[in-house]
Short mmCIF file of all heavy atoms in Angstrom, two decimals:
data_model
loop_
_atom_site.label_atom_id
_atom_site.label_comp_id
_atom_site.label_asym_id
_atom_site.label_seq_id
_atom_site.Cartn_x
_atom_site.Cartn_y
_atom_site.Cartn_z
N TRP A 80 -75.01 39.16 -83.46
CA TRP A 80 -75.49 40.47 -83.00
C TRP A 80 -75.27 40.63 -81.50
O TRP A 80 -75.15 41.75 -80.99
CB TRP A 80 -76.98 40.63 -83.37
CG TRP A 80 -77.17 40.88 -84.83
CD1 TRP A 80 -76.94 40.01 -85.85
CD2 TRP A 80 -77.59 42.09 -85.44
NE1 TRP A 80 -77.19 40.60 -87.06
CE2 TRP A 80 -77.61 41.88 -86.84
CE3 TRP A 80 -77.98 43.34 -84.95
CZ2 TRP A 80 -77.98 42.86 -87.76
CZ3 TRP A 80 -78.36 44.32 -85.87
CH2 TRP A 80 -78.36 44.09 -87.25
N ARG A 85 -75.29 44.57 -80.66
CA ARG A 85 -76.43 45.27 -81.26
C ARG A 85 -77.73 44.52 -81.07
O ARG A 85 -78.79 45.06 -81.38
CB ARG A 85 -76.18 45.50 -82.76
CG ARG A 85 -75.01 46.40 -83.08
CD ARG A 85 -75.24 47.21 -84.34
NE ARG A 85 -75.22 46.38 -85.56
CZ ARG A 85 -75.46 46.92 -86.76
NH1 ARG A 85 -75.78 48.21 -86.87
NH2 ARG A 85 -75.41 46.16 -87.86
N TYR A 89 -81.22 47.36 -80.78
CA TYR A 89 -82.33 47.70 -81.67
C TYR A 89 -83.64 47.19 -81.09
O TYR A 89 -83.67 46.14 -80.44
CB TYR A 89 -82.08 47.13 -83.07
CG TYR A 89 -81.05 47.97 -83.81
CD1 TYR A 89 -79.70 47.67 -83.72
CD2 TYR A 89 -81.42 49.11 -84.50
CE1 TYR A 89 -78.75 48.46 -84.34
CE2 TYR A 89 -80.47 49.91 -85.13
CZ TYR A 89 -79.14 49.58 -85.04
OH TYR A 89 -78.20 50.37 -85.65
N GLU A 92 -87.80 47.26 -84.61
CA GLU A 92 -87.46 47.40 -86.03
C GLU A 92 -86.67 46.20 -86.51
O GLU A 92 -86.70 45.84 -87.68
CB GLU A 92 -86.63 48.69 -86.20
CG GLU A 92 -86.51 49.16 -87.64
CD GLU A 92 -85.48 50.28 -87.77
OE1 GLU A 92 -84.94 50.73 -86.74
OE2 GLU A 92 -85.20 50.67 -88.92
N LEU A 93 -85.96 45.55 -85.56
CA LEU A 93 -85.20 44.34 -85.89
C LEU A 93 -86.14 43.15 -85.69
O LEU A 93 -86.51 42.84 -84.56
CB LEU A 93 -83.98 44.23 -84.97
CG LEU A 93 -83.05 43.04 -85.20
CD1 LEU A 93 -82.40 43.12 -86.58
CD2 LEU A 93 -81.97 42.98 -84.11
N PRO A 108 -81.36 43.40 -91.47
CA PRO A 108 -81.61 44.78 -91.88
C PRO A 108 -80.36 45.39 -92.50
O PRO A 108 -80.41 46.42 -93.17
CB PRO A 108 -81.92 45.48 -90.54
CG PRO A 108 -81.13 44.70 -89.54
CD PRO A 108 -81.00 43.30 -90.02
N THR A 109 -79.23 44.75 -92.27
CA THR A 109 -77.92 45.16 -92.76
C THR A 109 -76.96 44.04 -92.38
O THR A 109 -77.37 43.12 -91.67
CB THR A 109 -77.50 46.51 -92.14
OG1 THR A 109 -76.23 46.88 -92.70
CG2 THR A 109 -77.35 46.42 -90.64
N HIS A 110 -75.73 44.06 -92.87
CA HIS A 110 -74.89 42.87 -92.73
C HIS A 110 -73.49 43.12 -92.19
O HIS A 110 -72.57 42.33 -92.47
CB HIS A 110 -74.81 42.14 -94.08
CG HIS A 110 -76.03 41.33 -94.39
ND1 HIS A 110 -77.27 41.90 -94.65
CD2 HIS A 110 -76.23 39.99 -94.45
CE1 HIS A 110 -78.16 40.95 -94.87
NE2 HIS A 110 -77.57 39.78 -94.75
N GLU A 111 -73.32 44.14 -91.35
CA GLU A 111 -71.98 44.38 -90.80
C GLU A 111 -71.47 43.14 -90.05
O GLU A 111 -70.34 42.70 -90.24
CB GLU A 111 -71.99 45.56 -89.82
CG GLU A 111 -71.93 46.92 -90.48
CD GLU A 111 -73.26 47.39 -91.00
OE1 GLU A 111 -74.27 46.69 -90.78
OE2 GLU A 111 -73.31 48.43 -91.67
N ARG A 140 -86.58 45.73 -92.48
CA ARG A 140 -86.58 46.59 -91.30
C ARG A 140 -88.04 46.86 -90.96
O ARG A 140 -88.78 47.36 -91.80
CB ARG A 140 -85.84 47.92 -91.57
CG ARG A 140 -84.35 47.71 -91.83
CD ARG A 140 -83.62 48.98 -92.13
NE ARG A 140 -82.22 48.71 -92.46
CZ ARG A 140 -81.34 49.65 -92.84
NH1 ARG A 140 -81.73 50.92 -92.95
NH2 ARG A 140 -80.09 49.33 -93.12
N MET A 157 -81.31 46.33 -101.27
CA MET A 157 -80.18 47.20 -100.99
C MET A 157 -78.92 46.60 -101.61
O MET A 157 -78.75 45.38 -101.64
CB MET A 157 -79.98 47.34 -99.48
CG MET A 157 -78.84 48.30 -99.11
SD MET A 157 -78.19 48.03 -97.46
CE MET A 157 -79.31 48.97 -96.47
N ASP A 159 -75.33 46.51 -100.47
CA ASP A 159 -74.51 46.88 -99.34
C ASP A 159 -73.11 46.32 -99.52
O ASP A 159 -72.95 45.16 -99.86
CB ASP A 159 -75.11 46.46 -97.99
CG ASP A 159 -75.62 45.03 -97.94
OD1 ASP A 159 -76.16 44.55 -98.94
OD2 ASP A 159 -75.47 44.41 -96.87
N ALA A 160 -72.13 47.22 -99.36
CA ALA A 160 -70.72 46.86 -99.55
C ALA A 160 -69.95 47.15 -98.27
O ALA A 160 -70.34 48.02 -97.49
CB ALA A 160 -70.14 47.68 -100.69
N TYR A 161 -68.86 46.38 -98.10
CA TYR A 161 -68.07 46.53 -96.88
C TYR A 161 -66.60 46.45 -97.27
O TYR A 161 -66.20 45.55 -98.02
CB TYR A 161 -68.42 45.41 -95.88
CG TYR A 161 -69.90 45.36 -95.59
CD1 TYR A 161 -70.77 44.64 -96.43
CD2 TYR A 161 -70.46 46.08 -94.54
CE1 TYR A 161 -72.15 44.62 -96.20
CE2 TYR A 161 -71.83 46.06 -94.31
CZ TYR A 161 -72.66 45.33 -95.14
OH TYR A 161 -74.02 45.34 -94.92
N ILE A 202 -74.49 54.15 -86.02
CA ILE A 202 -73.63 52.98 -86.28
C ILE A 202 -72.20 53.31 -85.92
O ILE A 202 -71.32 52.52 -86.10
CB ILE A 202 -73.71 52.50 -87.74
CG1 ILE A 202 -73.29 53.60 -88.70
CG2 ILE A 202 -75.09 52.03 -88.09
CD1 ILE A 202 -72.70 53.02 -89.94
N HIS A 409 -75.70 55.89 -98.92
CA HIS A 409 -75.10 56.41 -97.70
C HIS A 409 -73.81 55.63 -97.51
O HIS A 409 -73.84 54.40 -97.55
CB HIS A 409 -76.04 56.19 -96.52
CG HIS A 409 -75.72 57.08 -95.35
ND1 HIS A 409 -76.63 57.37 -94.35
CD2 HIS A 409 -74.60 57.77 -95.03
CE1 HIS A 409 -76.08 58.18 -93.47
NE2 HIS A 409 -74.86 58.45 -93.85
N PHE A 411 -70.17 55.13 -95.22
CA PHE A 411 -69.70 55.39 -93.86
C PHE A 411 -68.26 54.92 -93.68
O PHE A 411 -67.89 53.87 -94.21
CB PHE A 411 -70.50 54.55 -92.85
CG PHE A 411 -71.96 54.78 -92.80
CD1 PHE A 411 -72.79 54.20 -93.76
CD2 PHE A 411 -72.54 55.54 -91.80
CE1 PHE A 411 -74.16 54.40 -93.71
CE2 PHE A 411 -73.91 55.73 -91.76
CZ PHE A 411 -74.72 55.16 -92.71
N TYR A 417 -66.62 47.30 -85.63
CA TYR A 417 -67.10 45.91 -85.75
C TYR A 417 -65.95 44.91 -85.67
O TYR A 417 -66.10 43.83 -85.09
CB TYR A 417 -67.89 45.75 -87.06
CG TYR A 417 -69.21 46.48 -87.02
CD1 TYR A 417 -69.31 47.77 -87.50
CD2 TYR A 417 -70.33 45.90 -86.45
CE1 TYR A 417 -70.51 48.47 -87.43
CE2 TYR A 417 -71.54 46.59 -86.38
CZ TYR A 417 -71.61 47.88 -86.87
OH TYR A 417 -72.80 48.56 -86.79
N CYS A 439 -68.52 50.98 -94.77
CA CYS A 439 -69.70 50.31 -95.35
C CYS A 439 -70.45 51.29 -96.23
O CYS A 439 -70.41 52.50 -96.02
CB CYS A 439 -70.59 49.74 -94.26
SG CYS A 439 -71.34 50.96 -93.19
N TYR A 440 -71.08 50.76 -97.25
CA TYR A 440 -71.59 51.58 -98.35
C TYR A 440 -72.92 51.02 -98.85
O TYR A 440 -72.95 49.89 -99.35
CB TYR A 440 -70.58 51.57 -99.49
CG TYR A 440 -69.14 51.72 -99.00
CD1 TYR A 440 -68.37 50.60 -98.67
CD2 TYR A 440 -68.55 52.96 -98.82
CE1 TYR A 440 -67.07 50.73 -98.18
CE2 TYR A 440 -67.26 53.10 -98.34
CZ TYR A 440 -66.52 51.99 -98.02
OH TYR A 440 -65.24 52.12 -97.54
N GLY A 441 -74.00 51.82 -98.68
CA GLY A 441 -75.32 51.29 -99.07
C GLY A 441 -75.94 52.08 -100.19
O GLY A 441 -75.74 53.29 -100.30
C1 LIG B 1 -80.76 47.41 -87.50
C2 LIG B 1 -82.00 47.94 -87.90
C3 LIG B 1 -82.06 49.06 -88.67
C4 LIG B 1 -80.87 49.68 -89.08
C5 LIG B 1 -79.65 49.15 -88.69
C6 LIG B 1 -79.58 48.00 -87.90
C7 LIG B 1 -79.81 51.40 -90.27
C8 LIG B 1 -78.43 49.80 -89.15
C9 LIG B 1 -77.40 51.62 -90.41
C10 LIG B 1 -76.83 50.86 -91.57
C11 LIG B 1 -75.49 51.30 -91.97
C12 LIG B 1 -75.03 50.76 -93.28
C13 LIG B 1 -74.43 48.78 -94.54
C14 LIG B 1 -75.01 49.38 -95.79
C15 LIG B 1 -75.17 50.86 -95.70
C16 LIG B 1 -75.83 51.31 -94.44
N1 LIG B 1 -80.93 50.83 -89.87
N2 LIG B 1 -78.59 50.91 -89.92
O1 LIG B 1 -77.30 49.40 -88.86
F1 LIG B 1 -80.74 46.30 -86.73
CL1 LIG B 1 -83.43 47.14 -87.39
O2 LIG B 1 -77.43 49.97 -92.08
N3 LIG B 1 -75.08 49.32 -93.33
#
Side-chain angles (χ1 to χ4, degrees):
W80 286 68
R85 296 212 290 177
Y89 284 90
E92 194 190 356
L93 182 64
T109 182
H110 282 68
E111 279 80 5
R140 295 178 184 177
M157 183 201 275
D159 47 324
Y161 305 85
I202 59 151
H409 199 160
F411 300 79
Y417 290 93
C439 65
Y440 317 90

